[in-house]
């Protein structure tokens, strides 16, 4: 069930059987010459929607803007500061906790969110530990799950793309968005075929090191067909992980 398409009475009914909610979180940032700027938000969004249909999970609206300061050298990229994203995550969790939700499963699509999300969870727990949380807020469990972290997805990506996969504007994430939005598939020439690798600092440095935005990937190998296989494998893995988390607060992540 999608929160945005539910009524408040339906959410109240859901809470009688589950206090867990799935929250897709991503980013709005360049993904090289043939990847959508929304890639990191669209991937967890389409997967969460499918997992919600399969498992009955309640799925919150996607948090589509993340911590992407290093991409600001490319047109269209948007970032929240780490401190802003921490505040957004705290407010979302605390809002839902007011209604009785106590298990929060963040399905993440952006590596750059990981450190900030972990810090946000620590802030949320600190509110409880320091006695600053509202008195009607239950004890909370927050879980971060990257959609690409399952063993099946890693094996499939390696089988499909080998060393062309890379770490930003990956063949897998671009394939998944092409499967979800086949009318928007892009064609682009890329030189070199496989992008450089290296560390990430600020946006000017990033643009110098990675001139077309990719890191380590050759996403000319991305395809709708590969995206379909990735979608099915990811939905199966995430659905299993969600069921364990919703039942007892334990995740594979
Ligand atoms: Ni990405």
């Amino acid at each position: 069930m999608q929160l945005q398409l539910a009524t408040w009475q339906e959410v109240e009914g859901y809470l009688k059987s589950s206090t867990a909610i799935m929250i897709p979180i991503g980013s709005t940032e360049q993904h090289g010459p043939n990847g959508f700027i929304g890639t990191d938000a669209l991937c967890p969004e389409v997967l969460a929607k499918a997992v919600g249909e399969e498992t009955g999970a309640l799925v919150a609206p996607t948090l589509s803007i993340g911590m992407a300061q290093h991409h600001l050298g490319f047109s269209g990229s948007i970032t929240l500061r780490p401190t802003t994203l921490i505040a957004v995550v705290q407010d979302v969790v605390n809002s839902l906790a007011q209604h009785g939700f106590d298990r929060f499963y963040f399905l993440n699509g952006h590596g750059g969110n990981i450190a900030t999300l972990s810090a946000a969870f620590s802030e949320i727990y600190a509110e409880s530990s320091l006695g600053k949380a509202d008195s009607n807020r239950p004890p909370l469990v927050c879980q971060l799950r990257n959609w690409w972290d399952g063993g099946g997805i890693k094996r499939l990506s390696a089988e499909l793309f080998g060393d062309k996969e890379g770490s930003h504007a990956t063949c897998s994430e671009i394939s998944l968005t092409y499967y979800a939005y086949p009318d928007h598939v892009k064609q682009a020439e890329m030189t070199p075929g496989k992008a450089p690798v290296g560390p990430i600092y600020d946006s000017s440095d990033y643009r110098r090191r990675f001139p077309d935005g990719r890191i380590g990937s050759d996403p000319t190998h991305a395809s709708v067909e590969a995206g379909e296989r990735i979608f099915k494998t990811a939905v199966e893995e995430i659905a299993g992980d969600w069921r364990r988390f919703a039942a007892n607060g334990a995740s594979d992540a």
Side-chain angles (χ1 to χ4, degrees):
M1 179 164 65
Q2 295 180 65
L3 183 70
Q4 287 180 300
L5 302 179
T7 64
W8 69 264
Q9 291 94 339
E10 287 172 323
V11 176
E12 202 169 75
Y14 175 92
L15 278 161
K16 291 193 171 81
S17 61
S18 177
T19 54
I21 186 165
M22 183 174 296
I23 305 171
I25 182 165
S27 183
T28 299
E29 65 185 47
Q30 68 80 20
H31 269 73
N34 72 341
F36 307 152
I37 286 175
T39 298
D40 285 359
L42 296 171
C43 289
E45 182 168 273
V46 298
L47 294 171
K49 183 164 178 276
V51 171
E53 284 164 6
E54 186 172 318
T55 66
L58 183 62
V59 177
T62 304
L63 304 180
S64 296
I65 299 179
M67 211 306 285
Q69 61 79 19
H70 45 297
H71 294 293
L72 288 183
F74 300 87
S75 299
S77 299
I78 303 174
T79 193
L80 300 179
R81 292 165 187 270
T83 48
T84 309
L85 181 57
I86 289 169
V88 168
V89 169
Q90 276 183 287
D91 286 357
V92 169
V93 165
N94 283 328
S95 297
L96 291 164
Q98 293 286 320
H99 315 307
F101 290 98
D102 61 5
R103 291 178 188 178
F104 301 87
Y105 189 92
F106 285 83
L107 186 62
N108 180 42
H110 174 47
N113 284 343
I114 294 172
T116 304
L117 263 180
S118 298
F121 296 171
S122 293
E123 287 284 356
I124 289 162
Y125 299 144
E127 284 181 330
S128 300
S129 300
L130 292 167
K132 305 284 190 196
D134 285 351
S135 57
N136 66 337
R137 198 188 82 167
L140 307 180
V141 175
C142 298
Q143 182 66 50
L144 167 61
R145 165 77 186 215
N146 301 313
W147 72 259
W148 60 84
D149 266 350
I153 281 290
K154 287 191 184 304
R155 282 189 294 278
L156 181 57
S157 294
E159 174 200 322
L160 288 168
F161 306 117
D163 70 351
K164 309 287 194 303
E165 170 73 352
S167 58
H168 180 67
T170 68
C171 300
S172 294
E173 63 182 348
I174 290 177
S175 294
L176 181 53
T177 58
Y178 282 2
Y179 171 65
Y181 295 92
D183 294 342
H184 296 269
V185 169
K186 321 273 188 197
Q187 306 293 338
E189 298 281 320
M190 294 182 218
T191 309
K194 191 167 172 307
V197 297
I200 295 172
Y201 300 112
D202 72 5
S203 60
S204 307
D205 181 79
Y206 186 108
R207 178 92 196 220
R208 274 194 300 274
R209 288 178 193 276
F210 314 109
D212 71 6
R214 300 171 291 146
I215 303 179
S217 65
D218 179 0
T220 56
H221 294 266
S223 70
V224 172
E225 294 72 26
E228 182 173 15
R229 293 181 64 189
I230 290 163
F231 174 82
K232 286 178 175 162
T233 301
V235 168
E236 187 183 329
E237 286 189 330
I238 295 162
D241 194 49
W242 161 263
R243 285 193 177 98
R244 285 187 291 279
F245 176 77
N248 56 26
S251 157
D252 286 346

